[in-house]
Amino acid sequence: ADFSAVEYFTPTLHNHPMIYVLAYPIFESGSAERISAFRAKHEPQRAKYVPPHITLVFGVANEHLQSISGLVEVASRQCSIFPVVFDDWISEFDPFEKKHKVLLLCGDGQAKVTSLHNQLYEGSHRSEFSSAHQFRAHMTVATYDKRTDLDQVDVSTVGEFPIEGKLSALELVRFEDGRLTTLKTVPFVA
């Protein structure tokens, strides 16, 4: 099944705890520095909360924590460390956050990322996503209120494509009261 999802890291959207599952790509140091600097400039609020990441479960109610925690354990036991390659980008409007964004799109590794995403939505929280938007393996690196601001972004400063990394763990996190807290880090073991 294909699942849709939207990132919700803006504190004003929710007055209650939200649960996410993230994967932090491990980049070579030069790429990591360029991506972090790019995000600090083009999505400073989000960059303060969370390092560069791929979101696999998007902002679901805290009541689903136990179910999602179990899914994270199972998915991690079935997964080996694998490469992810960001080889393209797109700018688009996120209708849920009502923000304009630049997304780095995952080429190599995309099928495994999508498979993890689908597996992690097999719980009770499945009802919390919109089927109107298909999941796309990506990393958001810029977020703006106005399209004209996004049009001024020079994506080449994020680094030369392809940008290569690897995924080695899943992170179960809670966003509450303007803070992101890691609840569990589960390394891939297969």
Side-chain angles (χ1 to χ4, degrees), residues 27-146:
F27 299 105
E28 66 92 22
S29 64
S31 290
E33 291 167 7
R34 282 188 299 277
I35 292 166
S36 293
F38 188 91
R39 291 182 70 237
K41 180 177 180 180
H42 296 294
E43 57 174 16
Q45 182 180 7
R46 190 169 306 198
K48 287 181 204 173
Y49 294 124
V50 62
H53 63 282
I54 296 172
T55 305
L56 296 163
V57 173
F58 297 80
V60 297
N62 194 60
E63 68 190 60
H64 300 292
L65 177 59
Q66 189 171 12
S67 172
I68 294 171
S69 180
L71 289 166
V72 165
E73 290 286 344
V74 170
S76 294
R77 281 194 301 267
Q78 296 172 349
C79 196
S80 300
I81 295 172
F82 66 94
V84 288
V85 178
F86 299 93
D87 55 9
D88 203 359
W89 66 275
I90 188 171
S91 65
E92 64 183 28
F93 180 71
D94 177 340
F96 297 91
E97 272 192 65
K98 299 187 179 0
K99 303 280 185 186
H100 297 272
K101 297 182 175 183
V102 171
L103 313 178
L104 300 186
L105 301 176
C106 186
D108 290 349
Q110 178 271 338
K112 286 187 177 182
V113 170
T114 300
S115 178
L116 277 171
H117 168 77
N118 291 346
Q119 185 177 2
L120 292 167
Y121 266 99
E122 290 299 325
S124 59
H125 56 291
R126 183 175 178 167
S127 62
E128 291 198 26
F129 60 81
S130 165
S131 60
H133 298 85
Q134 185 174 354
F135 175 77
R136 193 172 36 200
H138 73 278
M139 184 170 55
T140 303
V141 293
T143 304
Y144 283 99
D145 291 329
K146 299 178 200 165

